[in-house]
Amino acid sequence: PELPPSQTPGALLNQVTPDYSSTLRLRLERGRLLNASDSASSLKVVVINATLAARYFAGRDAIGQRLRLGRESTDLWTVVGILGDVKNFEMIDRADPEIYVPFSQRPNRRMMVAIRTTGDPETLAGTVRAAVRAIDPAEPVSRIFTMASLIRLVTGPFETTAAFVAGFGAIT
């Protein structure tokens, strides 16, 4: 239903390709994942996280429910799956509501690429840049991170605080 702007539900929006969930090993709780048949010409579908399902569809089955992506939009998107929560930015806060839409149904000029490897991810930087350049030589690759470095970025302040507390504890 239409709500006043101050009460409009909010969620993080992720435009993803079909392999995103398996690459990041996200846990499917119910329904299905996005797949290659979710094309620009097919039914508009989304996968949501458990937090969004619990917050906005409490007491109802979220699978099959429809939602709009933005107040101005008239398009309705059908929920086809629920993923387990992922903490993106803060390890101690609750997970934010998230929506995953097929990139093919809602393309974006700006994107991130996630790659899973069994080897040293640092050695893939040149290969990744070359692959992007082969597709579009004018497309910039601005930053390449390993998942370990992103996790350290988020957890680093907590580790520093813990080290200080341990140090002070050892002194007293």
Side-chain angles (χ1 to χ4, degrees), residues 10-155:
L12 298 172
L13 181 64
N14 305 287
Q15 290 104 331
V16 301
T17 57
D19 292 333
Y20 180 81
S21 297
S22 62
T23 299
L24 293 183
R25 294 186 177 156
L26 302 181
R27 186 182 78 255
L28 179 66
E29 291 191 355
R30 294 194 324 97
R32 71 168 177 89
L33 297 172
L34 302 176
N35 59 51
S37 67
D38 298 321
S39 66
S41 60
S42 67
L43 175 72
K44 292 185 181 308
V45 296
V46 298
V47 170
I48 61 175
N49 72 346
T51 292
L52 190 146
R55 186 174 299 172
Y56 299 125
F57 297 107
R60 294 181 287 163
D61 185 3
I63 305 293
Q65 297 292 329
R66 295 168 47 161
L67 51 88
R68 287 184 301 155
L69 302 179
R71 291 183 64 79
E72 299 79 33
S73 175
T74 57
D75 292 336
L76 292 175
W77 298 70
T78 302
V79 177
V80 295
I82 301 172
L83 289 174
D85 289 334
V86 175
K87 293 187 176 185
N88 294 302
F89 306 108
E90 293 292 336
M91 300 303 287
I92 58 174
D93 291 338
R94 293 182 311 215
D96 292 317
E98 288 193 72
I99 299 172
Y100 301 86
V101 301
F103 184 82
S104 60
Q105 292 184 348
R106 190 178 170 117
N108 188 340
R109 291 182 50 112
R110 183 175 172 253
M111 70 182 325
M112 289 185 266
V113 176
I115 300 169
R116 176 168 295 283
T117 179
T118 56
D120 179 7
E122 300 279 343
T123 63
L124 287 178
T127 304
V128 169
R129 289 182 193 281
V132 171
R133 199 171 25 257
I135 295 168
D136 184 353
E139 190 64 42
V141 176
S142 60
R143 296 178 292 183
I144 296 180
F145 295 101
T146 64
M147 187 60 74
S149 68
L150 289 173
I151 291 170
R152 274 193 308 277
L153 184 68
V154 172
T155 61

Side-chain angles (χ1 to χ4, degrees), residues 160-172:
T160 302
T161 302
F164 279 123
V165 169
F168 288 126
I171 293 171
T172 59

